Amino acid sequence: MNIDFLQKYRGKRGAVAVSGGADSVCLLQVFYENAEANGISLLAITCEHGIRKEASLRDLAFVKAFCAERNIPLYVFSENVPERAEREGVGLEEAGRDFRYECFAKILDGGYADFVATAHHRGDLAETVLFRLARGTSLAGISAIKERGGIIRPFLNVSKAEILQYLSERNISYVTDETNADETYSRNAIRQKVVPALEEVVRGAEAHIADFARRAGEDDSFLQTLAERAVKKTSDGIRIPTDLERPLFLRAAVSAIRGSGGGDYTEKILCEIEKLKDLQSGKKVTFAGIEVARERDEIVFYRPEEKFSGELPFAEGTFKAGAYSVTVTKEERQGALYCDFEKFPAGCVIRTRREGDLFTPFGGKEKPLKKFLTDRKIPARIGARLPLVAKGNTVYAVFGAEISDGVKITEQTARRMYLIAERNEE
């Protein structure tokens, strides 16, 4: 067995996840035998999930004895995963996986180790690729078992046969999970029937599939990097251009969904988002607490905001108007609108747009406010929430956009005022 991977972790603190099965026992033994020579500080962790009841406790006892015999510090985590799965409404496999990763995070975040090593091997990788291909997957799914966030997979180039040979040569025992023989589980059937059948047809099929998965992972990582470069975060949402090639667009869309705090998405949702590329500005898709809209040459992802429907007095000071804080001040501010305060008629209020509003832009002619906002290429969802100063249906200033020609500064202006609108932080 090639153990050159150990050199990568020289001088580090390592944790090996061990269940008692052949794969994890072998991985722990490899680290144990070579830790001192590589300056690796070693500990082990085991996640007792309670799925197999007495058998799980038997495995735990084996792991404890194995580590005690070698004086390897062992951290034990226990959870009733069947109860957790029922409580959270998820499958046993998902609940068990979540539990394990929570255990790994406690070790890493707690500063007990620099990495956690799991014993996924070449056969696991090939099996996972075939399973996901059969169910339907993407390039990201094919790349399957990845290293991430301090979790390493040093056995992905190692076959099951090499693992068993290593243990046999050292006369090291291990426990066997009897459920691994149950072919009613899809993964077990693939492992015991499909992969051997492929090996009979094409010698080395398992290794070739695993190599393909690694190359797919490299390709997916590269495409993801390109997609991330196209994602633009702004104060009013996350934007991606409509002219992105499909492989990049879909990856960018997933990134934007996650960045917007959206929940689970489906292939159908991604298709609906992709259709927005061919629709006119203003069209949108709503799901999982976020909205996705076509705005000019971009698709923008955002969380809906409540529109301010009240009225505030137009006076000097700072006021909260929905998603914005508006300030009317005589102190000069960079980027602010400035106006002649005395030209505003008495009774003006701060509010948001209403049907029938009219506006005379600086140096222009009167027009419907809705048309002004459209001409300025301000999306409808933003224009509907922008604070403005109005009396009746006459608008004298649109915060963050423009003042009316009727309140502009002249040589006779005696009371200059500055208008600022800033989005409130969530």
Side-chain angles (χ1 to χ4, degrees):
M1 180 187 299
N2 189 336
I3 58 172
D4 289 345
F5 64 83
L6 289 165
Q7 298 178 13
K8 185 178 179 181
Y9 305 104
R10 283 181 175 273
K12 294 189 176 182
R13 298 166 303 155
V16 175
V18 56
S19 64
D23 307 335
S24 63
V25 166
C26 181
L27 181 62
L28 182 55
Q29 183 67 24
V30 168
F31 269 97
Y32 170 71
E33 290 180 9
N34 298 278
E36 185 175 352
N38 288 278
I40 297 174
S41 175
L42 181 64
L43 61 88
I45 62 176
T46 190
C47 307
E48 195 278 305
H49 46 63
I51 295 176
R52 292 162 49 242
K53 299 180 180 179
E54 291 82 6
S56 292
L57 296 177
R58 176 206 67 192
D59 295 351
L60 175 58
F62 172 86
V63 170
K64 287 181 176 180
F66 185 92
C67 292
E69 182 180 334
R70 291 160 179 77
N71 200 28
I72 301 172
L74 175 66
Y75 288 78
V76 177
F77 298 92
S78 295
E79 171 94 79
N80 190 322
V81 169
E83 285 188 3
R84 173 175 178 158
E86 184 176 355
R87 183 174 65 251
E88 297 179 355
V90 299
L92 273 179
E93 184 176 354
E94 182 179 349
R97 182 176 61 249
D98 291 344
F99 167 53
R100 288 193 299 275
Y101 280 113
E102 286 173 7
C103 298
F104 299 164
K106 288 176 181 177
I107 292 295
L108 294 169
D109 297 344
Y112 299 102
D114 300 315
F115 63 85
V116 173
T118 71
H120 294 93
H121 55 78
R122 191 174 72 193
D124 293 324
L125 183 56
E127 166 200 323
T128 302
V129 170
L130 292 173
F131 179 68
R132 293 187 179 181
L133 281 173
R135 291 183 61 187
T137 190
S138 63
L139 192 62
I142 290 174
S143 59
I145 304 171
K146 300 179 181 178
E147 295 192 345
R148 60 177 186 179
I151 300 172
I152 67 169
R153 325 282 192 184
F155 268 9
L156 287 183
N157 289 318
V158 178
S159 70
K160 183 74 170 187
E162 290 177 287
I163 289 172
L164 295 177
Q165 180 182 354
Y166 189 94
L167 294 174
S168 177
E169 289 173 350
R170 288 159 178 76
N171 195 30
I172 296 174
S173 60
Y174 52 88
V175 297
T176 301
D177 183 345
E178 63 279 1
T179 61
N180 288 338
D182 186 351
E183 293 184 3
T184 60
Y185 292 99
S186 300
R187 289 181 180 272
N188 291 348
I190 291 173
R191 182 187 312 118
Q192 296 172 30
K193 291 182 176 180
V194 178
V195 175
L198 285 173
E199 284 286 351
E200 287 185 10
V201 177
V202 180
R203 187 175 180 180
E206 178 186 281
H208 299 326
I209 294 171
D211 287 341
F212 168 65
R214 283 187 286 272
R215 290 193 296 271
E218 292 173 355
D219 291 349
D220 181 59
S221 179
F222 175 70
L223 291 173
Q224 187 64 36
T225 298
L226 294 181
E228 292 289 347
R229 292 175 184 171
V231 177
K232 181 172 62 176
K233 294 183 179 181
T234 64
S235 61
D236 59 359
I238 299 177
R239 299 172 178 271
I240 60 177
T242 56
D243 61 356
L244 273 183
E245 295 84 350
R246 189 170 192 268
L248 301 184
F249 180 87
L250 294 178
R251 285 173 170 79
V254 170
S255 177
I257 290 171
R258 291 170 176 166
S260 302
D264 292 338
Y265 61 90
T266 63
E267 186 72 20
K268 182 179 178 181
I269 289 294
L270 290 178
C271 288
E272 291 298 313
I273 292 172
E274 188 179 16
K275 288 179 183 177
L276 292 174
K277 296 171 66 175
D278 299 320
L279 301 178
Q280 66 186 33
S281 287
K283 296 296 183 181
K284 65 182 181 180
V285 173
T286 301
F287 77 101
I290 66 172
E291 291 183 354
V292 186
R294 169 73 186 262
E295 292 182 359
R296 300 176 63 191
D297 297 327
E298 295 177 316
I299 306 296
V300 59
F301 300 70
Y302 57 90
R303 299 192 71 82
E305 297 173 332
E306 184 178 352
K307 180 181 176 181
F308 174 65
S309 57
E311 293 183 352
L312 297 169
F314 178 56
E316 191 172 353
T318 298
F319 312 90
K320 184 174 181 180
Y324 294 86
S325 288
V326 297
T327 299
V328 180
T329 179
K330 58 187 176 184
E331 297 179 5
E332 185 175 354
R333 300 281 186 88
Q334 186 176 3
L337 299 175
Y338 49 93
C339 54
D340 188 328
F341 190 72
E342 294 181 350
K343 289 183 178 179
F344 287 85
C348 279
V349 296
I350 297 173
R351 61 171 174 83
T352 52
R353 186 178 75 82
R354 296 174 183 170
E355 286 300 319
D357 280 344
L358 299 173
F359 183 60
T360 304
F362 187 93
K365 297 181 179 180
E366 185 180 73
K367 63 174 69 175
L369 177 62
K370 183 176 181 180
K371 182 173 181 2
F372 163 76
L373 295 171
T374 300
D375 292 343
R376 287 288 297 269
K377 296 182 170 49
I378 297 174
R381 68 180 178 91
I382 296 177
R385 290 166 174 75
L386 278 178
L388 51 85
V389 181
K391 182 176 182 180
N393 69 343
T394 301
V395 175
Y396 294 94
V398 181
F399 282 83
E402 194 166 314
I403 61 165
S404 166
D405 192 72
V407 296
K408 65 185 177 183
I409 299 292
T410 65
E411 292 181 355
Q412 287 73 42
T413 296
R415 193 178 178 190
R416 179 182 294 224
M417 202 68 72
Y418 295 86
L419 311 180
I420 308 107
E422 298 173 308
R423 292 181 64 85
N424 299 317
E425 294 184 8
E426 295 184 359

